[in-house]
């Protein structure tokens, strides 16, 4: 059994977890501690990076201690320390990665610098032992991508949003309609009482080939429709939410249909699996649509439990454990001493695309590719 401590601080959750991986490669969550900062940011209607970074500094030691206690392991019994090294809000990423480096140095354990997106991408292997290759739909507040997960460390981006992430579109739409933060769950609740056919909202980019998506125009269309209805009553808010959610489900459904077709062309001998991850995967309308589309392709749909879909440290510990196990198989000496993990010079990165080869949709900025 290899035991890995994972640390996640890239957004507004301060999280630590201990995950063990056995000889057969199966993962076991020994603890999964999360302190959500939602209350600290609610008054601002979104995450304030400086508030998040300060809160991470205050919380991180206690959260790590709690994760070790709940797992009933001492720091000395840990085989490796994994932390999110990006992409994310840089202040938070610095706090988590520097804490991991300090622990790795003091305890003489290997450091594993994990890409947050890889954590989301590999979660299905922790929860469902999903075998490579599979198709991943990552839908969160910061990312909306189709990825081909070919193997450990081998990812190909098939499509991405060219503007807002879906979670971002939910959050901004909620704010615009006066619904509480975080917006995704508020919009979904309001939509239950709404008429999805009342507002004919656009389904952007569906006439284009490929798998790219766009959601900024949809959000603007909601604003335009709301302005025409002023003063907006509760029923109109519900109808706007239902119409908005239906448009998103349509876009995701059509794109997933195409993505599964592509997967089958690439891997004709493999039974297709689609994994959905990220906070938006909690949305029932989207889940139902994905299940329907998967069925038409005789594909398996895997949706990890909600607490492992949203940001958490178990996914970071698991990604670290997968890498540590692979490295230890190649070189058993890695487990003695911190010098054999990732380079202690590894830098925190605000941007870090999983697929290093695909062209950036926004072009490469000073800090690297945005998407
Ligand atoms: O993965 P996550 O916890 O954090 C990152 O962005 O990495 O995702 C948070 C996002 C937020 O934008 C939130 O509004 C959205 O997931 N979300 C939902 C639902 N629950 C959370 N969006 C739609 N429907 C939901 N039920
Ligand atoms: Zn995330």
């Amino acid at each position: 059994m290899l035991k890995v401590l994972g640390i996640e601080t890239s957004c507004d959750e301060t999280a630590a977890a201990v995950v063990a991986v056995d000889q057969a490669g199966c993962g076991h969550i020994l603890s999964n501690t999360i302190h959500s900062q939602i209350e600290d940011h609610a008054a601002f209607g979104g995450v304030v990076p400086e508030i998040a970074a300060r809160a991470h500094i205050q919380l991180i030691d206690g959260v790590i201690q709690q994760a070790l206690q709940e797992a009933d392991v001492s720091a000395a019994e840990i085989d490796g320390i994994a932390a999110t090294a990006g992409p994310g809000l840089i202040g938070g990423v610095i706090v988590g990665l520097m804490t991991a480096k300090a622990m790795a140095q003091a305890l003489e354990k290997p450091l594993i610098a994990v890409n947050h997106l890889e954590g989301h991408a590999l979660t299905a292997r922790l929860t469902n032992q999903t075998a490579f290759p599979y198709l991943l739909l990552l839908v969160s507040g910061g990312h909306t991508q189709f990825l081909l997960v070919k193997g450990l460390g081998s990812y190909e981006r098939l499509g991405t949003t060219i503007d807002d992430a879906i979670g971002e579109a939910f959050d901004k739409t909620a704010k615009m309609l006066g619904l509480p933060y975080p917006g995704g769950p508020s919009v979904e609740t309001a939509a239950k009482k709404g008429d999805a056919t009342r507002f004919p909202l656009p389904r952007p980019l569906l006439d284009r080939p490929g798998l790219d998506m766009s959601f900024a125009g949809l959000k603007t269309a909601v604003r335009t429709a709301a302005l025409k209805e002023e003063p907006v009553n509760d029923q109109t808010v519900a109808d706007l939410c239902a119409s908005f959610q239906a448009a998103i489900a349509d876009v995701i459904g059509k794109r997933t249909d195409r993505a599964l077709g592509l997967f089958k062309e690439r891997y004709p001998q493999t039974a297709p699996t689609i994994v959905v991850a990220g906070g938006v995967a909690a949305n029932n309308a989207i889940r139902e649509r994905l299940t329907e589309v998967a069925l038409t392709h005789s594909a398996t749909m895997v949706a990890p439990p909600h607490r492992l879909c949203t940001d958490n440290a178990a996914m970071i510990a698991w990604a670290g454990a997968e890498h540590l196990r692979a490295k230890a198989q190649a070189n058993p000496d890695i487990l003695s001493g911190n010098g054999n993990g990732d380079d202690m010079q590894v830098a925190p990165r605000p941007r870090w695309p999983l697929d290093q080869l695909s062209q950036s949709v926004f072009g490469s900025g000073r800090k690297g590719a945005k998407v």
Side-chain angles (χ1 to χ4, degrees):
M1 279 274 211
L2 280 180
K3 294 193 190 86
V4 173
L5 170 72
I7 299 172
E8 159 59 35
T9 53
S10 67
C11 192
D12 61 341
E13 267 95 19
T14 313
V18 180
V19 168
V21 56
D22 63 26
Q23 294 276 337
C26 292
H28 308 272
I29 299 176
L30 305 186
S31 67
N32 191 13
T33 308
I34 299 188
H35 182 103
S36 170
Q37 304 172 7
I38 282 185
E39 283 175 12
D40 300 342
H41 303 280
F44 304 95
V47 178
V48 183
E50 284 75 15
I51 293 178
R54 278 167 200 268
H56 286 307
I57 292 176
Q58 284 163 354
L59 293 164
I60 190 75
D61 292 358
V63 168
I64 290 174
Q65 212 159 32
Q66 194 181 333
L68 290 172
Q69 262 165 15
E70 281 171 15
D72 200 19
V73 292
S74 66
E77 287 169 308
I78 293 289
D79 296 297
I81 316 235
T84 298
L89 300 175
I90 194 64
V93 177
I94 290 173
V95 173
L97 185 59
M98 293 310 289
T99 305
K101 282 184 184 181
M103 287 185 74
Q105 185 86 39
L107 297 164
E108 299 192 347
K109 306 282 182 186
L111 168 80
I112 310 121
V114 173
N115 182 315
H116 177 89
L117 303 178
E118 188 176 36
H120 282 301
L122 298 176
T123 301
R125 293 173 52 73
L126 168 64
T127 57
N128 295 60
Q129 283 90 47
T130 304
F132 298 125
Y134 54 88
L135 182 68
L136 173 78
L137 171 61
L138 176 59
V139 276
S140 70
H143 303 276
T144 299
Q145 310 188 338
F146 282 103
L147 283 160
L148 203 52
V149 182
K150 297 189 266 195
L152 186 62
S154 177
Y155 312 98
E156 182 180 332
R157 197 190 67 217
L158 300 177
T160 177
T161 176
I162 57 166
D163 40 54
D164 289 356
I166 297 189
E168 189 182 356
F170 267 97
D171 292 338
K172 287 179 178 169
T173 298
K175 195 171 179 179
M176 199 160 72
L177 297 175
L179 297 173
Y181 166 85
S186 312
V187 170
E188 182 172 16
T189 305
K192 288 204 179 91
K193 296 183 219 114
D195 172 6
T197 61
R198 179 166 163 202
F199 296 99
L201 299 173
R203 271 67 172 154
L205 292 192
L206 277 192
D207 52 340
R208 305 248 192 107
L211 289 173
D212 285 344
M213 294 159 279
S214 160
F215 299 100
L218 182 56
K219 181 191 66 197
T220 310
V222 173
R223 174 189 290 275
T224 310
L227 286 174
K228 276 196 202 142
E229 299 290 327
E230 290 227 292
V232 177
N233 62 26
D234 286 354
Q235 189 55 51
T236 300
V237 167
D239 293 344
L240 281 165
C241 287
S243 304
F244 167 80
Q245 191 173 265
I248 299 243
D250 273 358
V251 172
I252 286 294
K254 293 251 165 54
R255 283 306 195 226
T256 302
D257 178 49
R258 187 173 284 171
L260 278 168
L262 216 113
F263 183 93
K264 284 155 105 177
E265 273 172 32
R266 293 277 286 270
Y267 298 99
Q269 310 299 336
T270 306
T273 297
I274 170 137
V275 173
V276 56
V280 183
N283 186 284
N284 283 313
I286 294 176
R287 270 182 192 236
E288 276 164 25
R289 189 64 60 92
L290 287 171
T291 309
E292 283 164 26
V293 174
L295 203 65
T296 65
H297 283 271
S298 306
T300 306
M301 211 243 328
V302 176
H306 183 47
R307 76 195 160 85
L308 295 175
C309 271
T310 52
D311 288 351
N312 65 87
M315 70 178 191
I316 303 303
W318 170 248
E322 286 233 65
H323 280 289
L324 194 62
R325 182 168 169 267
K327 282 186 180 177
Q329 277 170 348
N331 170 20
D333 289 344
I334 181 175
L335 297 177
S336 53
N338 61 3
N340 298 317
D342 279 329
D343 189 340
M344 291 292 268
Q345 302 299 320
V346 63
R349 297 175 62 172
R351 295 176 193 164
W352 183 3
L354 249 195
D355 176 350
Q356 308 275 348
L357 301 177
S358 292
Q359 292 236 323
S360 162
V361 171
F362 289 135
S364 287
R366 192 165 45 88
K367 297 178 193 151
K370 256 188 148 182
V371 181

